[in-house]
Amino acid sequence: MRRRGPVVVGRRGPGLVGTMARTAVIAGTATATSKAVSGAMSGGQQQQQAAAQQQAMAQQQAELAAQQGYIAGQQDAMAQQAAIQAPVEPAGSSFDEQLVQIQKLSALKDQGLLTDEEFAAKKAQILGI
């Protein structure tokens, strides 16, 4: 059997594109419903209906923004976890390369992603101590 498209590992949920598509469908449905109902309503009722639809769309946009923020946070966390778990180059690498690796580890420790013990262990591994 032949697979089509890239295989994505570690991804959860519908993703950003699926969420945006769902929001577009909801917005399109709301517009179609609005047009069908507007023919049977008075001017005041139409204004109330339009205001309610705008409020619903604003809430959907806020939910979408929250989902996008969550997805971005998950991607950042996955990238940081991958950096922590990435294999360390052997002690034979140049001092400049070792220094860069230690600086990256230090940044992770400053962000609270590594404990002092984990930092010290990785640093010793980088330096070949």
Side-chain angles (χ1 to χ4, degrees):
M1 179 164 62
R2 180 178 166 183
R3 288 187 171 183
R4 294 181 182 216
V7 176
V8 179
V9 179
R11 184 171 170 195
R12 296 182 184 164
L16 182 59
V17 174
T19 303
M20 292 175 69
R22 182 175 56 233
T23 301
V25 168
I26 292 169
T29 303
T31 302
T33 303
S34 168
K35 288 180 181 178
V37 172
S38 67
M41 291 187 193
S42 69
Q45 288 174 326
Q46 288 178 357
Q47 288 178 348
Q48 288 176 347
Q49 180 68 25
Q53 286 176 348
Q54 286 178 346
Q55 184 178 8
M57 288 181 67
Q59 183 175 355
Q60 289 171 356
Q61 289 175 345
E63 290 172 0
L64 178 60
Q67 290 173 353
Q68 289 172 340
Y70 175 78
I71 291 169
Q74 290 297 315
Q75 289 172 341
D76 288 345
M78 288 172 47
Q80 290 173 350
Q81 187 66 27
I84 292 170
Q85 294 175 349
V88 177
E89 290 186 27
S93 61
S94 75
F95 179 74
D96 289 338
E97 292 169 349
Q98 291 173 343
L99 182 60
V100 169
Q101 289 177 343
I102 292 171
Q103 288 172 339
K104 288 179 182 178
L105 287 174
S106 178
L108 292 173
K109 185 181 87 154
D110 292 343
Q111 293 174 6
L113 299 173
L114 289 178
T115 64
D116 289 336
E117 294 80 22
E118 291 170 329
F119 173 75
K122 285 288 191 177
K123 179 180 168 185
Q125 184 181 3
I126 291 169
L127 295 174
I129 301 174

